[in-house]
Structures are given as structure tokens and as C-alpha cells.
Amino acid sequence: MEYGHSAVVDTVIYRAWVFDGLGNDPVHMDVAIKGERIVAMGELSHLQANHKIMADGLCLAPGFIDVHTHDDLELLRNPIMAAKVSQGVTTVIIGNCGISAAPATLTADAPDPMNLLGDKAEFNFMHMRDYIAAFNVKKANVNVAALVGHTTLRNNVMNNLDRAATSDEINAMQLQLNQAINEGALGLSTGLAYHNAKCAPEHEIHAFGEILKKHNALYTTHLRTEFDAVLEAMDEAFAMETHFGIKVIISHLKCAGKNNWGRAPELLAKFAEQGQDSKCSCDAYPYAASSSTLDLNQVTDDFDIFITWSESHPKMAEQLLADIAKQWGLSLLDAAKKLQPAGAVYHGLNEGDVKTILAFDKTMIGSDGLPCDPHPHPRLWGSFARVLGHYSREQGLFSLATAIHKMTGLSAANYRLHDRGAIKVGHFADLVLFDADKIIDNATFVDPTLPASGIHRVWTNGQTTFKDKQILPAFSGKFLTSQGVIHD
């Protein structure tokens, strides 16, 4: 409908610098919201509005899309989603790194790294539709779209994950993946570096290719290694596009380990080798440190390893592994074995590589935050503000428009989220209003849960979820699918 002089809308945001999310320069204008959608843009002083917000030069961007999260169970556990909403995130992609809350059947404790998501009692979703139903009860303050984890599928059908799947087990996993995509999943993720998936040979992964192709679904992967053989691991990932013509997204692209520092240009050249028609892309987080479970294969004295939690020795958490080893009179490796199961932050990346990968035109932003971690990596609370404040404003790595594109329009296009990721009439009103001069991450490795500064307001589907440094319980999030179907 035309919004003329007699029209009444819910909200008008006046005099904002509007970034469309597509990488274009901002335009100074007003934006109107009615219900869940953006209904008008331009000079809107003629409209009657129930809520009038004077932006006075603040920036208005599409709500940020966190393409790499492990929020599967956190959305149900804490639907307020403070870590995300406080930094302007309105949509999260779950089910990354081969681990997903659905479709999952646990007969014992969650195996590593599924234990990053939560405890056995929380895995109650034998089918993707069960998870969607649970989400639609809780709603949450953010939208969600889901991948199916390969390790989760393996755990559903295999009695021992330290081997390749049999043909019967592969058939069972294929059926589960096909059903989950039919019910709303976006595609498949793998975590081939982890102990419980690394025994899966390439043919086991390729067994899912035809299903993904049939559905025009996605394949995302935590590479088989991010260390010395990272280029070969990228070849394995890109083979899914070569053989099946499906979109491949490499998760948290990085040059891990001191031996690999400086190799970022080699990694990016691999994308070019796929050719101009390739749709492969990647995500990255804006920090020179990674975080996961404590992996004995990554124990080294080349860089600091910070222990975030330990089930066997909880009092040793929040210390460097080197200091713990010294206290115990053990080698680093023996100390790590004694701490198991445990979590760690690895300061094993090079800042130059991080910047090179972030600036790559195919790179989206994903936090890879671990909400269950009692001492999380600061990326959980700070990633998006850090890209805008530290890397765009302070470092000049890319323009503000480009930074926003990497966390909005580019992400929506790659994950096929319809009517999201751009400020356009007719699109859903997922929006963030922020001060470009003040936005910055405050979370640190010492104090990792400090909210970002500079965010003024956040809307998810037209409802305010953040205002004046306060999270509001709008619970207006939706479950999103690549078909644009919203499951209510």
C-alpha cells in the first residue's frame, strides 16, 4: 500500500545514516516500520507514527547475522540471547562444525564436541521438526536457521565413532539428513578436525552430496585440519562443489599454528582456483585466538593456551596450561591429559593473517562463540562491534559499508535468507541503530562477558529487543528456512 499523509505506522526512525547492507554508501533518510516489515523509506515527516525515534545522524543497518554459532540449545535455555542482541545480532545460524541439537538421539553423555552445546538431558530432538516446535514455544529474541551436524548424525547411527561409517550407517544418515532438510534445515555441516569425525573418509562426506544437490542445500565445514595441511583440507572441501555443484562455506578460515603464520594469501588463492563461477565462501571471527575443547593434538609451547574449564580439575580453570603444568610438575601434554575433558583458548593465530582473511571479499562474520563456556572467548560478546569499531574505524581495514555488508547482505545471500540482510521496503525489520564513532567491543580474555558500547537500539521482526543498554524480552524471533518459509 502507499503510505500517504493519513497512514499510521508503528515506528519511524528519523534522520539516520542508512546502510542498505549491500555495500553501498549510506543515505541520510527516514525508515518506517509497520508490523514485522519495513514499509517506507525516504523523507517521512508526513507519516503518523506510534513511536518516533530521532536518530540524528546515528547509523541504521540491517540486523547482524551471526553465521557461525553454537547457540542450538542456548536459544531454548536463555531465549533473551543477551550476548547477541547487545551487539546488534538479530539472526543466528546454528548446527555448525558438525554438531547440532537436532536431529539427535543420545544414549550416553554427549560426545566431544557435541558437549560444547549442552548436557545429555538437553538433547531432546529426534527430528528437526521437534527442535523447530520447541523454538516456536520459546521464540527467543533472535531469528534462527539450522544446519544438520555430521557428527550428530554419526552419533545417531554408529556405536563407535573411531572408524568410517558402514554403507548401512551411511544410508541411515542420508535418510536423516534428507528428512531434516525437508523439515527446514539449510544443509549439512562437518567438523572433520574433531576426534569423532576425523575417521570419516572423503567418500563418507561425498555420500551426502546428491541429497544436498537435490535440495539446493549448503555444505559448511570445519576443515579436516587448519594447520600445516590446510591447503589439502581446502581441496577436500571444495571437491563438494566440484562434484555436486553445491555451495561450500569454510568455517572460521584461519592459518592455525606458528608454522602457518603468514600463509593467508595462499588460502585465499585457493578460492580463486575454483574459478569465477565458484560460489564458495567462508566466515571468520575477528580475533587472533581460537577456542574449543582442549585438543591434545594442539598442545604446544609455541603460543599460550588458556584453560577455560575442566571437568576433572575445575579449580585449575582460568589459568594458562603452562602454569598448570608447572604447578603439577608435568609436561604440557601430560597436564592437558590430566585436565580432560576440558576447554581452551588457543592464542595460535597471527594478526596479519586475521586481517587478510577478514578483508577478503568472500568472508562473512561469524562469532563461533561458546555460550556454555564458563569463561568464554570474548568473541561471544564482542565480534560484531569489534569488526565495526576496531577493524573498520580504528584499523581502516575496510569501509563501514563493507563491514556491515560482511555481516548482513553477504550472509543473507549465502544462507538464502529471504527478505533479510538489507534495508529495503518489504523486508523484515531486523535493524540495528548504532553510533559509528563509539561502537566498540569491551569483552576481553580476562573479562569476556562485557557488552559492547555504541549500540542504541535493535529490532527483530519489528519488535524492539535492545534499548538504552537494556535487553527487552520481545521474543520475536522466527525459525528461517532457505525457502523463505517461516515456521510459526
Side-chain angles (χ1 to χ4, degrees):
M1 63 172 286
E2 279 293 321
Y3 280 83
H5 290 272
S6 61
V8 179
V9 298
D10 295 326
T11 303
V12 175
I13 305 158
Y14 295 97
R15 298 192 296 275
W17 284 108
V18 177
F19 288 79
D20 62 6
L22 304 176
N24 296 310
D25 290 336
V27 177
H28 199 243
M29 67 169 89
D30 310 332
V31 174
I33 303 168
K34 187 174 179 64
E36 299 175 341
R37 307 255 183 180
I38 297 165
V39 294
M41 298 169 60
E43 202 289 308
L44 303 178
S45 60
H46 63 282
L47 289 184
Q48 298 180 51
N50 295 324
H51 303 283
K52 297 182 178 182
I53 297 165
M54 303 300 171
D56 293 325
L58 295 175
C59 298
L60 187 69
F64 305 141
I65 300 170
D66 191 343
V67 298
H68 193 102
T69 83
H70 297 289
D71 292 332
D72 305 44
L73 295 171
E74 183 69 6
L75 288 156
L76 309 179
R77 189 187 298 124
N78 292 306
I80 201 88
M81 295 299 287
K84 298 301 166 73
V85 172
S86 63
Q87 56 180 315
V89 172
T90 58
T91 299
V92 299
I93 309 295
I94 60 171
N96 286 283
C97 293
I99 57 175
S100 59
T105 304
L106 263 62
T107 56
D109 288 342
D112 181 83
M114 288 176 68
N115 54 0
L116 291 174
L117 300 181
D119 298 327
K120 176 188 175 184
E122 296 179 279
F123 286 84
N124 298 314
F125 314 107
M126 291 182 64
H127 304 285
M128 184 59 66
R129 64 176 180 268
D130 300 329
Y131 180 87
I132 295 169
F135 175 81
N136 284 331
V137 171
K138 294 282 187 179
K139 286 295 189 185
N141 266 345
V142 296
N143 304 305
V144 59
L147 298 162
V148 176
H150 168 239
T151 301
T152 298
L153 295 178
R154 297 188 103 227
N155 192 64
N156 289 348
V157 305
M158 299 173 66
N159 57 8
N160 176 14
L161 302 182
D162 293 335
R163 58 172 174 80
T166 66
S167 58
D168 286 346
E169 289 164 344
I170 288 174
N171 288 339
M173 288 191 282
Q174 289 173 323
L175 289 172
Q176 290 188 11
L177 175 63
N178 188 67
Q179 180 178 348
I181 295 175
N182 278 329
E183 291 173 357
L186 296 181
L188 177 73
S189 78
T190 57
L192 300 175
Y194 288 106
H195 174 78
N196 285 313
K198 68 181 181 182
C199 288
E202 190 170 18
H203 76 79
E204 182 177 318
I205 310 306
H206 281 210
F208 300 105
E210 289 297 338
I211 294 170
L212 297 173
K213 180 178 180 179
K214 177 182 72 172
H215 292 284
N216 193 28
L218 306 172
Y219 174 65
T220 76
T221 180
H222 177 150
L223 295 172
R224 198 172 289 275
T225 181
E226 298 167 329
F227 289 81
D228 294 1
V230 61
L231 296 182
E232 291 82 356
M234 291 179 71
D235 285 337
E236 179 184 11
F238 289 154
M240 288 291 279
E241 180 186 58
T242 302
H243 289 298
F244 303 104
I246 58 176
K247 181 186 283 290
V248 174
I249 298 171
I250 295 179
S251 298
H252 40 61
L253 185 66
K254 65 173 77 74
C255 303
K258 195 171 183 179
N259 288 345
N260 286 318
W261 290 357
R263 295 184 68 193
E266 295 179 52
L267 272 61
L268 302 188
K270 278 288 181 185
F271 285 87
E273 288 176 17
Q274 281 297 102
Q276 289 186 337
D277 294 332
S278 172
K279 296 177 181 177
C280 293
S281 60
C282 61
D283 64 64
Y285 47 78
Y287 296 87
S290 60
S291 179
S292 186
T293 50
L294 179 57
D295 179 3
L296 300 181
N297 293 320
Q298 293 190 51
V299 172
T300 177
D301 59 4
D302 286 342
F303 48 79
D304 285 341
I305 299 173
F306 181 81
I307 302 302
T308 58
W309 57 271
S310 168
E311 284 188 14
S312 55
H313 294 84
K315 291 183 179 179
M316 306 309 288
E318 300 188 22
Q319 299 183 63
L320 292 176
L321 177 61
D323 292 340
I324 296 170
K326 192 173 182 180
Q327 292 173 53
W328 284 345
L330 297 174
S331 68
L332 286 178
L333 185 59
D334 286 340
K337 289 177 180 177
K338 189 173 178 179
L339 288 165
Q340 295 284 37
V345 169
Y346 306 88
H347 291 269
L349 307 182
N350 173 269
E351 178 65 17
D353 288 328
V354 172
K355 292 170 74 171
T356 297
I357 290 169
L358 285 173
F360 181 45
D361 60 1
K362 291 178 178 287
T363 302
M364 301 171 283
I365 305 303
S367 71
D368 197 17
L370 302 174
C372 286
D373 201 320
H375 187 99
H377 189 301
R379 65 194 182 188
L380 179 67
W381 286 79
S383 286
F384 292 83
R386 183 171 176 81
V387 169
L388 298 173
H390 177 67
Y391 283 109
S392 178
R393 184 182 67 242
E394 295 177 354
Q395 296 284 312
L397 186 61
F398 30 54
S399 69
L400 191 57
T402 296
I404 290 169
H405 176 58
K406 286 176 169 292
M407 52 183 71
T408 58
L410 181 62
S411 307
N414 278 326
Y415 282 87
R416 299 159 183 158
L417 304 179
H418 295 271
D419 295 345
R420 311 270 173 187
I423 297 183
K424 292 182 177 180
V425 172
H427 274 223
F428 287 96
D430 294 343
L431 299 166
V432 53
L433 186 67
F434 67 94
D435 187 331
D437 295 326
K438 294 182 179 178
I439 192 164
I440 197 68
D441 58 307
N442 295 315
T444 67
F445 288 100
V446 174
D447 198 347
T449 60
L450 291 175
S453 297
I455 301 287
H456 282 246
R457 286 186 186 239
V458 181
W459 293 262
T460 302
N461 296 308
Q463 298 298 307
T464 304
T465 53
F466 184 85
K467 175 185 175 183
D468 300 330
K469 300 182 181 181
Q470 298 294 316
I471 311 291
L472 302 179
F475 303 130
S476 53
K478 294 176 176 291
F479 190 91
L480 310 181
T481 79
S482 61
Q483 287 75 38
V485 176
I486 309 299
H487 292 263
D488 284 326

